[in-house]
Amino acid sequence: MKLLFFTSFICILTISCTQQQEPEPPIFGMAIGSDIDLSIQNPQGVDLISPATEEYFPVEDMQLYYLVDGKKVKVQDFAPQIGGHNGLKLLNGISTHKLRCFLYNYNEKEEEIGEDGVKKGTSMYYLQLNQTITDTIKTEWEALDGRYYAIRKVWYNGNLFEEEPFDLTIVKGQE
């Protein structure tokens, strides 16, 4: 009986003296602001995503590409888990439609890693609206150790947008 008591005492003492380890950070990341919303209009302000518009851009015909290792890759081939139609999702509004583009791609070259471990870089995307019109989207992003990914700046066809969340109005037909 003394042996059992002594053994139990040693086990309890060993367990209680063991240091608590910090929990490991999660291996999954959070995408914070990893998409942009687009309203696409003509110069008269007519919604070019709405099927009610005569010469609209059908979302099912659009294609989003990521630039991966210098090559254009369809988003569903690169990241099928993103969902939506080819990395795009139609948002039906009361007066206008919007197109959500999922831009979760930071495998391009990192430009800088800060003292805090935050990685910063840029990525390029191509939004093919139809067979003849393809727009370019460049993002400046930051990420931390797989814990989060966030877009901080967007250039749409060379025009800079810095206000988050990114809800852009793009005018087509004035090029």
Side-chain angles (χ1 to χ4, degrees):
M1 184 71 165
K2 286 182 182 179
L3 181 61
L4 180 62
F5 176 76
F6 181 73
T7 306
S8 299
F9 177 75
I10 295 295
C11 287
I12 292 171
L13 186 62
T14 303
I15 291 170
S16 65
C17 291
T18 303
Q19 281 187 341
Q20 289 280 355
Q21 289 186 352
E22 289 293 317
E24 288 291 318
I27 58 171
F28 57 88
M30 288 188 352
I32 304 170
S34 62
D35 52 75
I36 63 171
D37 291 344
L38 303 174
S39 298
I40 302 176
Q41 305 173 351
N42 68 15
Q44 293 74 37
V46 176
D47 182 0
L48 294 178
I49 304 175
S50 171
T53 304
E54 190 173 318
E55 292 188 26
Y56 78 108
F57 297 110
V59 175
E60 59 272 5
D61 293 345
M62 294 181 192
Q63 182 63 59
L64 182 63
Y65 294 88
Y66 289 169
L67 186 65
V68 179
D69 297 326
K71 297 178 184 165
K72 284 173 48 174
V73 178
K74 288 182 181 181
V75 66
Q76 72 265 24
D77 294 339
F78 178 77
Q81 74 280 9
I82 287 177
H85 170 73
N86 301 331
L88 305 170
K89 182 178 181 181
L90 180 63
L91 306 174
N92 294 316
I94 295 171
S95 60
T96 61
H97 295 72
K98 291 186 181 189
L99 181 67
R100 178 159 292 159
C101 302
F102 298 95
L103 304 178
Y104 188 70
N105 171 28
Y106 61 96
N107 76 328
E108 287 299 297
K109 294 182 179 94
E110 295 151 6
E111 295 178 355
E112 164 187 338
I113 300 177
E115 290 179 19
D116 55 0
V118 175
K119 298 175 185 177
K120 296 183 179 184
T122 58
S123 292
M124 288 292 298
Y125 311 90
Y126 300 94
L127 176 59
Q128 183 178 324
L129 298 173
N130 62 22
Q131 293 298 321
T132 59
I133 300 173
T134 299
D135 292 347
T136 60
I137 303 169
K138 177 182 175 181
T139 61
E140 183 176 284
W141 52 262
E142 65 181 42
L144 178 61
D145 241 3
R147 296 180 192 173
Y148 80 90
Y149 171 83
I151 294 172
R152 298 300 183 207
K153 293 181 184 178
V154 174
W155 289 263
Y156 194 95
N157 286 339
N159 297 312
L160 175 62
F161 297 89
E162 295 184 86
E163 191 171 324
E164 298 175 41
F166 295 103
D167 190 353
L168 317 179
T169 299
I170 306 302
V171 179
K172 301 305 287 178
Q174 62 182 19
E175 288 86 27

